[in-house]
Amino acid sequence: MSDGTPNWFDADIDHVIVSEEQIRSKIEELAKQVSADYGHVEEVLLVGVLKGAVMFMADFARALGRYGPPAEMEFMAVSSYGQGTTSSGVVRILKDLDRDIANRHVVVIEDIVDSGLTLSWLMKYLESRDPASLEVVALLRKPDAVKVHVPVKYVGFDIPNEFVVGYGLDYAERYREMPYVGVLKPEVYSR
Ligand code: PRP
């Protein structure tokens, strides 16, 4: 979708893990699956986990909009006390839900399940608020990095255990706006 003008970020990427086109078609596929599985409900409540899920939430919601059911959106922001590029499992709520989720069909929208620690904590937290149902859609998952297993019903791509950026995922708050997911060149870390 680029007009040929080089992006500032392309030069920093060592290799692409998931392309823009792969993301687009996978989101369509995931939205169709969710639509089919939730055909019997009046509406779903999408809960996006900021900041990483911002791109995925926006594109997934639009895709689901083509098929239904109607979706409402909520956002949470959590922060895992990590060291650099790994997370620790201690989670702090930076932004809580604005509304009650009791008796709602909640679908958590996550950009990535890495160690699983963030999602494991989040699922317990949401479960304690008595939703009618609770499932997860994760665009990316790193099976080799898992520390705690969390059942994720809808997964876009299983990816290698490398530090990835783009499509919401950052390194030092940058690269989130990239339309694809990739691995940074080693020299970026020594700048
Ligand atoms: C990232 C990502 C997930 C979590 C996954 O968020 O968006 O929420 O880490 O890692 P885990 O499975 O090892 O727990 P991060 O804490 O970096 O915050 P951000 O989304 O604001 O960048």
Side-chain angles (χ1 to χ4, degrees):
M1 290 268 275
S2 150
D3 65 358
T5 313
N7 296 307
W8 68 267
F9 46 76
D10 282 342
D12 288 357
I13 299 302
D14 190 73
H15 55 281
V16 175
I17 297 286
V18 191
S19 72
E20 188 174 357
E21 188 44 50
Q22 284 176 307
I23 292 173
R24 204 192 331 273
S25 63
K26 184 63 76 176
I27 288 177
E28 199 67 15
E29 191 185 313
L30 290 170
K32 282 182 186 167
Q33 281 177 32
V34 169
S35 174
D37 292 351
Y38 288 82
H40 60 290
V41 309
E42 220 165 274
E43 64 179 10
V44 291
L45 179 62
L46 306 180
V47 175
V49 186
L50 297 171
K51 305 173 197 166
V54 68
M55 305 287 175
F56 184 38
M57 179 77 157
D59 287 341
F60 180 81
R62 270 181 291 209
L64 191 63
R66 287 191 273 281
Y67 308 107
E72 291 186 15
M73 292 191 220
E74 279 287 316
F75 291 93
M76 281 188 73
V78 297
S79 161
S80 55
Y81 290 102
Q83 295 245 318
T85 56
T86 59
S87 66
S88 64
V90 183
V91 173
R92 185 164 56 116
I93 297 178
L94 303 176
K95 188 216 165 294
D96 207 341
L97 297 163
D98 293 335
R99 284 176 299 162
D100 190 12
I101 61 163
N103 304 314
R104 308 293 301 273
H105 292 281
V106 173
V107 180
V108 175
I109 306 295
E110 257 288 25
D111 48 329
I112 188 165
V113 184
D114 200 324
S115 67
L117 292 166
T118 303
L119 192 58
S120 161
W121 179 91
L122 190 65
M123 293 300 273
K124 284 185 200 123
Y125 180 79
L126 296 173
E127 197 66 70
S128 74
R129 291 173 171 234
D130 298 320
S133 66
L134 179 61
E135 296 291 352
V136 183
V137 186
L139 182 65
L140 307 168
R141 181 174 63 183
K142 286 184 186 170
D144 297 339
V146 66
K147 285 188 186 154
V148 42
H149 181 76
V150 185
V152 179
K153 188 163 181 184
Y154 309 95
V155 178
F157 302 94
D158 279 324
I159 62 169
N161 191 9
E162 293 178 277
F163 185 76
V164 291
V165 298
Y167 201 70
L169 293 158
D170 73 307
Y171 168 61
E173 295 301 326
R174 288 174 71 172
Y175 304 100
R176 293 192 199 272
E177 73 270 48
M178 280 171 42
Y180 60 91
V181 174
V183 172
L184 289 169
K185 288 177 180 166
E187 64 253 35
V188 173
Y189 299 106
S190 53
R191 273 181 198 154

